[in-house]
PDB file of all heavy atoms in Angstrom:
ATOM      1  N   TYR E  23     123.855 101.667 109.023  1.00 94.00           N
ATOM      2  CA  TYR E  23     123.687 102.603 107.826  1.00 94.00           C
ATOM      3  C   TYR E  23     122.631 103.616 108.063  1.00 94.00           C
ATOM      4  O   TYR E  23     121.582 103.301 108.670  1.00 94.00           O
ATOM      5  CB  TYR E  23     123.323 101.771 106.567  1.00 94.00           C
ATOM      6  CG  TYR E  23     124.372 100.873 106.014  1.00 94.00           C
ATOM      7  CD1 TYR E  23     124.664  99.661 106.664  1.00 94.00           C
ATOM      8  CD2 TYR E  23     125.137 101.235 104.917  1.00 94.00           C
ATOM      9  CE1 TYR E  23     125.672  98.827 106.137  1.00 94.00           C
ATOM     10  CE2 TYR E  23     126.076 100.368 104.385  1.00 94.00           C
ATOM     11  CZ  TYR E  23     126.357  99.188 105.037  1.00 94.00           C
ATOM     12  OH  TYR E  23     127.321  98.370 104.489  1.00 94.00           O
ATOM     13  N   ALA E  24     122.868 104.824 107.593  1.00 95.00           N
ATOM     14  CA  ALA E  24     121.773 105.735 107.487  1.00 95.00           C
ATOM     15  C   ALA E  24     120.916 105.320 106.246  1.00 95.00           C
ATOM     16  O   ALA E  24     121.454 104.897 105.242  1.00 95.00           O
ATOM     17  CB  ALA E  24     122.362 107.168 107.292  1.00 95.00           C
ATOM     18  N   ILE E  25     119.631 105.409 106.391  1.00 96.00           N
ATOM     19  CA  ILE E  25     118.675 104.933 105.393  1.00 96.00           C
ATOM     20  C   ILE E  25     117.772 106.119 104.993  1.00 96.00           C
ATOM     21  O   ILE E  25     117.182 106.743 105.828  1.00 96.00           O
ATOM     22  CB  ILE E  25     117.803 103.778 105.877  1.00 96.00           C
ATOM     23  CG1 ILE E  25     118.697 102.602 106.322  1.00 96.00           C
ATOM     24  CG2 ILE E  25     116.815 103.356 104.805  1.00 96.00           C
ATOM     25  CD1 ILE E  25     119.497 101.975 105.128  1.00 96.00           C
ATOM     26  N   GLY E  26     117.723 106.332 103.709  1.00 97.00           N
ATOM     27  CA  GLY E  26     116.757 107.362 103.185  1.00 97.00           C
ATOM     28  C   GLY E  26     115.699 106.700 102.324  1.00 97.00           C
ATOM     29  O   GLY E  26     115.887 105.694 101.713  1.00 97.00           O
ATOM     30  N   TRP E  27     114.511 107.314 102.477  1.00 98.00           N
ATOM     31  CA  TRP E  27     113.386 106.924 101.630  1.00 98.00           C
ATOM     32  C   TRP E  27     113.119 108.057 100.610  1.00 98.00           C
ATOM     33  O   TRP E  27     113.084 109.230 101.010  1.00 98.00           O
ATOM     34  CB  TRP E  27     112.088 106.665 102.397  1.00 98.00           C
ATOM     35  CG  TRP E  27     112.070 105.331 103.058  1.00 98.00           C
ATOM     36  CD1 TRP E  27     112.434 105.040 104.383  1.00 98.00           C
ATOM     37  CD2 TRP E  27     111.629 104.120 102.478  1.00 98.00           C
ATOM     38  NE1 TRP E  27     112.242 103.691 104.580  1.00 98.00           N
ATOM     39  CE2 TRP E  27     111.782 103.088 103.460  1.00 98.00           C
ATOM     40  CE3 TRP E  27     111.204 103.760 101.240  1.00 98.00           C
ATOM     41  CZ2 TRP E  27     111.416 101.759 103.213  1.00 98.00           C
ATOM     42  CZ3 TRP E  27     110.850 102.383 100.963  1.00 98.00           C
ATOM     43  CH2 TRP E  27     110.953 101.436 101.977  1.00 98.00           C
ATOM     44  N   PHE E  28     113.002 107.721  99.320  1.00 98.00           N
ATOM     45  CA  PHE E  28     112.777 108.639  98.253  1.00 98.00           C
ATOM     46  C   PHE E  28     111.556 108.188  97.498  1.00 98.00           C
ATOM     47  O   PHE E  28     111.122 107.000  97.536  1.00 98.00           O
ATOM     48  CB  PHE E  28     113.948 108.677  97.327  1.00 98.00           C
ATOM     49  CG  PHE E  28     115.247 109.174  97.922  1.00 98.00           C
ATOM     50  CD1 PHE E  28     116.009 108.366  98.744  1.00 98.00           C
ATOM     51  CD2 PHE E  28     115.658 110.476  97.744  1.00 98.00           C
ATOM     52  CE1 PHE E  28     117.200 108.762  99.329  1.00 98.00           C
ATOM     53  CE2 PHE E  28     116.831 110.928  98.343  1.00 98.00           C
ATOM     54  CZ  PHE E  28     117.598 110.070  99.121  1.00 98.00           C
ATOM     55  N   ARG E  29     110.918 109.095  96.792  1.00 98.00           N
ATOM     56  CA  ARG E  29     109.821 108.718  95.895  1.00 98.00           C
ATOM     57  C   ARG E  29     109.910 109.530  94.620  1.00 98.00           C
ATOM     58  O   ARG E  29     110.445 110.607  94.597  1.00 98.00           O
ATOM     59  CB  ARG E  29     108.501 108.957  96.580  1.00 98.00           C
ATOM     60  CG  ARG E  29     108.147 110.419  96.835  1.00 98.00           C
ATOM     61  CD  ARG E  29     106.854 110.542  97.616  1.00 98.00           C
ATOM     62  NE  ARG E  29     106.515 111.946  97.915  1.00 98.00           N
ATOM     63  CZ  ARG E  29     105.572 112.328  98.785  1.00 98.00           C
ATOM     64  NH1 ARG E  29     104.885 111.398  99.476  1.00 98.00           N
ATOM     65  NH2 ARG E  29     105.325 113.595  99.002  1.00 98.00           N
ATOM     66  N   GLN E  30     109.261 108.972  93.585  1.00 98.00           N
ATOM     67  CA  GLN E  30     109.254 109.633  92.284  1.00 98.00           C
ATOM     68  C   GLN E  30     107.886 109.398  91.621  1.00 98.00           C
ATOM     69  O   GLN E  30     107.451 108.254  91.478  1.00 98.00           O
ATOM     70  CB  GLN E  30     110.352 109.076  91.377  1.00 98.00           C
ATOM     71  CG  GLN E  30     110.477 109.833  90.045  1.00 98.00           C
ATOM     72  CD  GLN E  30     111.703 109.510  89.285  1.00 98.00           C
ATOM     73  OE1 GLN E  30     112.305 108.409  89.448  1.00 98.00           O
ATOM     74  NE2 GLN E  30     112.189 110.425  88.484  1.00 98.00           N
ATOM     75  N   ALA E  31     107.210 110.458  91.314  1.00 96.00           N
ATOM     76  CA  ALA E  31     105.925 110.411  90.611  1.00 96.00           C
ATOM     77  C   ALA E  31     106.191 110.611  89.155  1.00 96.00           C
ATOM     78  O   ALA E  31     107.216 111.179  88.717  1.00 96.00           O
ATOM     79  CB  ALA E  31     104.982 111.512  91.094  1.00 96.00           C
ATOM     80  N   PRO E  32     105.279 110.106  88.261  1.00 89.00           N
ATOM     81  CA  PRO E  32     105.465 110.295  86.840  1.00 89.00           C
ATOM     82  C   PRO E  32     105.636 111.737  86.431  1.00 89.00           C
ATOM     83  O   PRO E  32     104.906 112.601  86.843  1.00 89.00           O
ATOM     84  CB  PRO E  32     104.190 109.676  86.263  1.00 89.00           C
ATOM     85  CG  PRO E  32     103.733 108.690  87.265  1.00 89.00           C
ATOM     86  CD  PRO E  32     104.044 109.350  88.598  1.00 89.00           C
ATOM     87  N   GLY E  33     106.687 112.003  85.665  1.00 93.00           N
ATOM     88  CA  GLY E  33     106.903 113.308  85.240  1.00 93.00           C
ATOM     89  C   GLY E  33     107.592 114.253  86.173  1.00 93.00           C
ATOM     90  O   GLY E  33     107.764 115.462  85.894  1.00 93.00           O
ATOM     91  N   LYS E  34     107.923 113.736  87.386  1.00 95.00           N
ATOM     92  CA  LYS E  34     108.551 114.559  88.403  1.00 95.00           C
ATOM     93  C   LYS E  34     109.901 113.990  88.827  1.00 95.00           C
ATOM     94  O   LYS E  34     110.193 112.817  88.595  1.00 95.00           O
ATOM     95  CB  LYS E  34     107.588 114.642  89.623  1.00 95.00           C
ATOM     96  CG  LYS E  34     106.278 115.293  89.323  1.00 95.00           C
ATOM     97  CD  LYS E  34     105.433 115.366  90.592  1.00 95.00           C
ATOM     98  CE  LYS E  34     104.124 116.064  90.325  1.00 95.00           C
ATOM     99  NZ  LYS E  34     103.277 116.155  91.538  1.00 95.00           N
ATOM    100  N   VAL E  35     110.713 114.847  89.370  1.00 95.00           N
ATOM    101  CA  VAL E  35     112.021 114.420  89.883  1.00 95.00           C
ATOM    102  C   VAL E  35     111.888 113.592  91.126  1.00 95.00           C
ATOM    103  O   VAL E  35     110.892 113.747  91.865  1.00 95.00           O
ATOM    104  CB  VAL E  35     112.940 115.592  90.064  1.00 95.00           C
ATOM    105  CG1 VAL E  35     113.160 116.420  88.789  1.00 95.00           C
ATOM    106  CG2 VAL E  35     112.391 116.539  91.187  1.00 95.00           C
ATOM    107  N   ARG E  36     112.837 112.762  91.368  1.00 96.00           N
ATOM    108  CA  ARG E  36     112.857 111.986  92.638  1.00 96.00           C
ATOM    109  C   ARG E  36     113.158 112.910  93.736  1.00 96.00           C
ATOM    110  O   ARG E  36     114.040 113.744  93.710  1.00 96.00           O
ATOM    111  CB  ARG E  36     113.866 110.826  92.504  1.00 96.00           C
ATOM    112  CG  ARG E  36     113.824 109.882  93.655  1.00 96.00           C
ATOM    113  CD  ARG E  36     114.342 108.512  93.308  1.00 96.00           C
ATOM    114  NE  ARG E  36     115.698 108.548  92.819  1.00 96.00           N
ATOM    115  CZ  ARG E  36     116.379 107.550  92.318  1.00 96.00           C
ATOM    116  NH1 ARG E  36     115.777 106.372  92.234  1.00 96.00           N
ATOM    117  NH2 ARG E  36     117.653 107.700  91.960  1.00 96.00           N
ATOM    118  N   GLU E  37     112.433 112.746  94.869  1.00 96.00           N
ATOM    119  CA  GLU E  37     112.571 113.596  96.051  1.00 96.00           C
ATOM    120  C   GLU E  37     112.757 112.771  97.289  1.00 96.00           C
ATOM    121  O   GLU E  37     112.272 111.658  97.438  1.00 96.00           O
ATOM    122  CB  GLU E  37     111.356 114.497  96.224  1.00 96.00           C
ATOM    123  CG  GLU E  37     110.035 113.764  96.496  1.00 96.00           C
ATOM    124  CD  GLU E  37     108.917 114.699  96.789  1.00 96.00           C
ATOM    125  OE1 GLU E  37     109.158 115.859  97.139  1.00 96.00           O
ATOM    126  OE2 GLU E  37     107.719 114.258  96.754  1.00 96.00           O
ATOM    127  N   ALA E  38     113.524 113.333  98.232  1.00 97.00           N
ATOM    128  CA  ALA E  38     113.679 112.671  99.519  1.00 97.00           C
ATOM    129  C   ALA E  38     112.373 112.822 100.325  1.00 97.00           C
ATOM    130  O   ALA E  38     111.739 113.881 100.329  1.00 97.00           O
ATOM    131  CB  ALA E  38     114.803 113.254 100.255  1.00 97.00           C
ATOM    132  N   VAL E  39     111.988 111.750 100.999  1.00 97.00           N
ATOM    133  CA  VAL E  39     110.810 111.724 101.855  1.00 97.00           C
ATOM    134  C   VAL E  39     111.152 111.717 103.319  1.00 97.00           C
ATOM    135  O   VAL E  39     110.605 112.464 104.091  1.00 97.00           O
ATOM    136  CB  VAL E  39     109.898 110.552 101.468  1.00 97.00           C
ATOM    137  CG1 VAL E  39     108.702 110.478 102.374  1.00 97.00           C
ATOM    138  CG2 VAL E  39     109.459 110.687 100.048  1.00 97.00           C
ATOM    139  N   ALA E  40     112.005 110.816 103.686  1.00 97.00           N
ATOM    140  CA  ALA E  40     112.395 110.585 105.077  1.00 97.00           C
ATOM    141  C   ALA E  40     113.769 109.986 105.181  1.00 97.00           C
ATOM    142  O   ALA E  40     114.278 109.380 104.202  1.00 97.00           O
ATOM    143  CB  ALA E  40     111.368 109.695 105.824  1.00 97.00           C
ATOM    144  N   CYS E  41     114.379 110.112 106.331  1.00 97.00           N
ATOM    145  CA  CYS E  41     115.758 109.594 106.530  1.00 97.00           C
ATOM    146  C   CYS E  41     115.898 109.290 107.995  1.00 97.00           C
ATOM    147  O   CYS E  41     115.369 109.963 108.878  1.00 97.00           O
ATOM    148  CB  CYS E  41     116.748 110.677 106.080  1.00 97.00           C
ATOM    149  SG  CYS E  41     118.496 110.218 106.179  1.00 97.00           S
ATOM    150  N   ILE E  42     116.670 108.233 108.274  1.00 96.00           N
ATOM    151  CA  ILE E  42     117.026 107.885 109.645  1.00 96.00           C
ATOM    152  C   ILE E  42     118.516 107.589 109.707  1.00 96.00           C
ATOM    153  O   ILE E  42     119.047 106.869 108.857  1.00 96.00           O
ATOM    154  CB  ILE E  42     116.167 106.638 110.129  1.00 96.00           C
ATOM    155  CG1 ILE E  42     116.505 106.368 111.598  1.00 96.00           C
ATOM    156  CG2 ILE E  42     116.438 105.436 109.282  1.00 96.00           C
ATOM    157  CD1 ILE E  42     115.602 105.343 112.218  1.00 96.00           C
ATOM    158  N   SER E  43     119.139 108.206 110.662  1.00 94.00           N
ATOM    159  CA  SER E  43     120.570 108.051 110.830  1.00 94.00           C
ATOM    160  C   SER E  43     120.905 106.664 111.383  1.00 94.00           C
ATOM    161  O   SER E  43     120.070 105.972 111.870  1.00 94.00           O
ATOM    162  CB  SER E  43     121.160 109.137 111.738  1.00 94.00           C
ATOM    163  OG  SER E  43     120.852 110.417 111.248  1.00 94.00           O
ATOM    164  N   SER E  44     122.184 106.265 111.260  1.00 91.00           N
ATOM    165  CA  SER E  44     122.609 105.017 111.795  1.00 91.00           C
ATOM    166  C   SER E  44     122.311 104.961 113.299  1.00 91.00           C
ATOM    167  O   SER E  44     122.251 105.915 113.994  1.00 91.00           O
ATOM    168  CB  SER E  44     124.076 104.741 111.532  1.00 91.00           C
ATOM    169  OG  SER E  44     124.862 105.700 112.194  1.00 91.00           O
ATOM    170  N   LYS E  45     122.102 103.676 113.760  1.00 87.00           N
ATOM    171  CA  LYS E  45     121.772 103.452 115.165  1.00 87.00           C
ATOM    172  C   LYS E  45     120.537 104.260 115.650  1.00 87.00           C
ATOM    173  O   LYS E  45     120.452 104.596 116.843  1.00 87.00           O
ATOM    174  CB  LYS E  45     122.984 103.769 116.052  1.00 87.00           C
ATOM    175  CG  LYS E  45     124.190 102.928 115.781  1.00 87.00           C
ATOM    176  CD  LYS E  45     123.988 101.525 116.170  1.00 87.00           C
ATOM    177  CE  LYS E  45     125.267 100.722 116.000  1.00 87.00           C
ATOM    178  NZ  LYS E  45     125.093  99.344 116.473  1.00 87.00           N
ATOM    179  N   SER E  46     119.607 104.394 114.785  1.00 80.00           N
ATOM    180  CA  SER E  46     118.284 105.073 115.080  1.00 80.00           C
ATOM    181  C   SER E  46     118.577 106.444 115.635  1.00 80.00           C
ATOM    182  O   SER E  46     117.924 106.850 116.624  1.00 80.00           O
ATOM    183  CB  SER E  46     117.425 104.256 116.030  1.00 80.00           C
ATOM    184  OG  SER E  46     117.015 103.036 115.397  1.00 80.00           O
ATOM    185  N   GLY E  47     119.462 107.172 115.063  1.00 85.00           N
ATOM    186  CA  GLY E  47     119.813 108.532 115.408  1.00 85.00           C
ATOM    187  C   GLY E  47     118.798 109.520 114.818  1.00 85.00           C
ATOM    188  O   GLY E  47     117.628 109.238 114.710  1.00 85.00           O
ATOM    189  N   THR E  48     119.346 110.662 114.381  1.00 93.00           N
ATOM    190  CA  THR E  48     118.481 111.731 113.932  1.00 93.00           C
ATOM    191  C   THR E  48     117.552 111.264 112.779  1.00 93.00           C
ATOM    192  O   THR E  48     117.984 110.508 111.905  1.00 93.00           O
ATOM    193  CB  THR E  48     119.361 112.897 113.426  1.00 93.00           C
ATOM    194  OG1 THR E  48     120.232 113.310 114.511  1.00 93.00           O
ATOM    195  CG2 THR E  48     118.500 114.085 113.002  1.00 93.00           C
ATOM    196  N   ARG E  49     116.311 111.757 112.854  1.00 95.00           N
ATOM    197  CA  ARG E  49     115.381 111.480 111.802  1.00 95.00           C
ATOM    198  C   ARG E  49     115.032 112.834 111.082  1.00 95.00           C
ATOM    199  O   ARG E  49     115.029 113.898 111.676  1.00 95.00           O
ATOM    200  CB  ARG E  49     114.097 110.876 112.371  1.00 95.00           C
ATOM    201  CG  ARG E  49     114.279 109.439 112.857  1.00 95.00           C
ATOM    202  CD  ARG E  49     113.130 109.061 113.835  1.00 95.00           C
ATOM    203  NE  ARG E  49     113.062 107.680 114.117  1.00 95.00           N
ATOM    204  CZ  ARG E  49     113.795 107.044 115.012  1.00 95.00           C
ATOM    205  NH1 ARG E  49     114.744 107.707 115.702  1.00 95.00           N
ATOM    206  NH2 ARG E  49     113.696 105.747 115.192  1.00 95.00           N
ATOM    207  N   ALA E  50     114.690 112.693 109.813  1.00 96.00           N
ATOM    208  CA  ALA E  50     114.302 113.911 109.046  1.00 96.00           C
ATOM    209  C   ALA E  50     113.216 113.551 108.116  1.00 96.00           C
ATOM    210  O   ALA E  50     113.087 112.439 107.597  1.00 96.00           O
ATOM    211  CB  ALA E  50     115.526 114.447 108.249  1.00 96.00           C
ATOM    212  N   PHE E  51     112.307 114.536 107.895  1.00 96.00           N
ATOM    213  CA  PHE E  51     111.139 114.324 106.966  1.00 96.00           C
ATOM    214  C   PHE E  51     110.969 115.602 106.143  1.00 96.00           C
ATOM    215  O   PHE E  51     111.262 116.704 106.607  1.00 96.00           O
ATOM    216  CB  PHE E  51     109.870 114.128 107.781  1.00 96.00           C
ATOM    217  CG  PHE E  51     109.897 112.906 108.615  1.00 96.00           C
ATOM    218  CD1 PHE E  51     110.249 112.997 109.954  1.00 96.00           C
ATOM    219  CD2 PHE E  51     109.492 111.702 108.127  1.00 96.00           C
ATOM    220  CE1 PHE E  51     110.302 111.868 110.787  1.00 96.00           C
ATOM    221  CE2 PHE E  51     109.462 110.532 108.955  1.00 96.00           C
ATOM    222  CZ  PHE E  51     109.889 110.633 110.261  1.00 96.00           C
ATOM    223  N   THR E  52     110.547 115.370 104.935  1.00 95.00           N
ATOM    224  CA  THR E  52     110.176 116.531 104.053  1.00 95.00           C
ATOM    225  C   THR E  52     108.837 117.121 104.666  1.00 95.00           C
ATOM    226  O   THR E  52     108.042 116.420 105.249  1.00 95.00           O
ATOM    227  CB  THR E  52     110.044 116.149 102.602  1.00 95.00           C
ATOM    228  OG1 THR E  52     109.977 117.302 101.824  1.00 95.00           O
ATOM    229  CG2 THR E  52     108.805 115.282 102.416  1.00 95.00           C
ATOM    230  N   ASP E  53     108.640 118.428 104.404  1.00 96.00           N
ATOM    231  CA  ASP E  53     107.530 119.090 105.008  1.00 96.00           C
ATOM    232  C   ASP E  53     106.159 118.445 104.670  1.00 96.00           C
ATOM    233  O   ASP E  53     105.247 118.422 105.506  1.00 96.00           O
ATOM    234  CB  ASP E  53     107.483 120.557 104.598  1.00 96.00           C
ATOM    235  CG  ASP E  53     108.623 121.411 105.279  1.00 96.00           C
ATOM    236  OD1 ASP E  53     109.148 120.897 106.294  1.00 96.00           O
ATOM    237  OD2 ASP E  53     108.865 122.482 104.807  1.00 96.00           O
ATOM    238  N   SER E  54     106.040 117.955 103.421  1.00 96.00           N
ATOM    239  CA  SER E  54     104.759 117.461 102.992  1.00 96.00           C
ATOM    240  C   SER E  54     104.326 116.158 103.691  1.00 96.00           C
ATOM    241  O   SER E  54     103.122 115.841 103.620  1.00 96.00           O
ATOM    242  CB  SER E  54     104.760 117.247 101.443  1.00 96.00           C
ATOM    243  OG  SER E  54     105.735 116.194 101.139  1.00 96.00           O
ATOM    244  N   VAL E  55     105.221 115.472 104.357  1.00 97.00           N
ATOM    245  CA  VAL E  55     104.857 114.240 105.045  1.00 97.00           C
ATOM    246  C   VAL E  55     105.018 114.286 106.525  1.00 97.00           C
ATOM    247  O   VAL E  55     104.590 113.370 107.210  1.00 97.00           O
ATOM    248  CB  VAL E  55     105.641 113.041 104.498  1.00 97.00           C
ATOM    249  CG1 VAL E  55     105.550 113.008 102.972  1.00 97.00           C
ATOM    250  CG2 VAL E  55     107.079 113.034 104.894  1.00 97.00           C
ATOM    251  N   ARG E  56     105.607 115.322 107.023  1.00 96.00           N
ATOM    252  CA  ARG E  56     105.847 115.430 108.470  1.00 96.00           C
ATOM    253  C   ARG E  56     104.572 115.351 109.219  1.00 96.00           C
ATOM    254  O   ARG E  56     103.647 116.044 108.918  1.00 96.00           O
ATOM    255  CB  ARG E  56     106.629 116.718 108.764  1.00 96.00           C
ATOM    256  CG  ARG E  56     107.132 116.858 110.211  1.00 96.00           C
ATOM    257  CD  ARG E  56     107.995 118.040 110.512  1.00 96.00           C
ATOM    258  NE  ARG E  56     109.301 117.956 109.765  1.00 96.00           N
ATOM    259  CZ  ARG E  56     109.566 118.692 108.722  1.00 96.00           C
ATOM    260  NH1 ARG E  56     108.719 119.631 108.260  1.00 96.00           N
ATOM    261  NH2 ARG E  56     110.763 118.551 108.123  1.00 96.00           N
ATOM    262  N   GLY E  57     104.526 114.528 110.262  1.00 97.00           N
ATOM    263  CA  GLY E  57     103.309 114.359 111.009  1.00 97.00           C
ATOM    264  C   GLY E  57     102.458 113.204 110.516  1.00 97.00           C
ATOM    265  O   GLY E  57     101.556 112.766 111.246  1.00 97.00           O
ATOM    266  N   ARG E  58     102.659 112.733 109.316  1.00 98.00           N
ATOM    267  CA  ARG E  58     101.898 111.631 108.733  1.00 98.00           C
ATOM    268  C   ARG E  58     102.790 110.335 108.551  1.00 98.00           C
ATOM    269  O   ARG E  58     102.241 109.306 108.646  1.00 98.00           O
ATOM    270  CB  ARG E  58     101.362 112.012 107.374  1.00 98.00           C
ATOM    271  CG  ARG E  58     100.378 113.193 107.391  1.00 98.00           C
ATOM    272  CD  ARG E  58      99.697 113.382 106.075  1.00 98.00           C
ATOM    273  NE  ARG E  58     100.640 113.747 105.024  1.00 98.00           N
ATOM    274  CZ  ARG E  58     100.848 113.053 103.887  1.00 98.00           C
ATOM    275  NH1 ARG E  58     100.193 111.975 103.721  1.00 98.00           N
ATOM    276  NH2 ARG E  58     101.731 113.511 102.995  1.00 98.00           N
TER     277      ARG E  58
END
């Protein structure tokens, strides 16, 4: 399975944080967390 991580702060919409494709394929990060 591809797995996504999302987060939601109080009063804010849920946003995607990170994602990994099946079989440890392509990874993606939102700009605010990239590198951390």
Side-chain angles (χ1 to χ4, degrees):
Y23 291 77
I25 302 295
W27 281 96
F28 299 78
R29 68 186 179 192
Q30 187 169 27
K34 298 182 179 179
V35 300
R36 187 156 58 186
E37 64 173 343
V39 176
C41 184
I42 184 169
S43 302
S44 63
K45 299 291 186 177
S46 294
T48 304
R49 292 160 167 81
F51 300 91
T52 192
D53 288 344
S54 64
V55 308
R56 189 173 294 110
R58 299 188 295 120

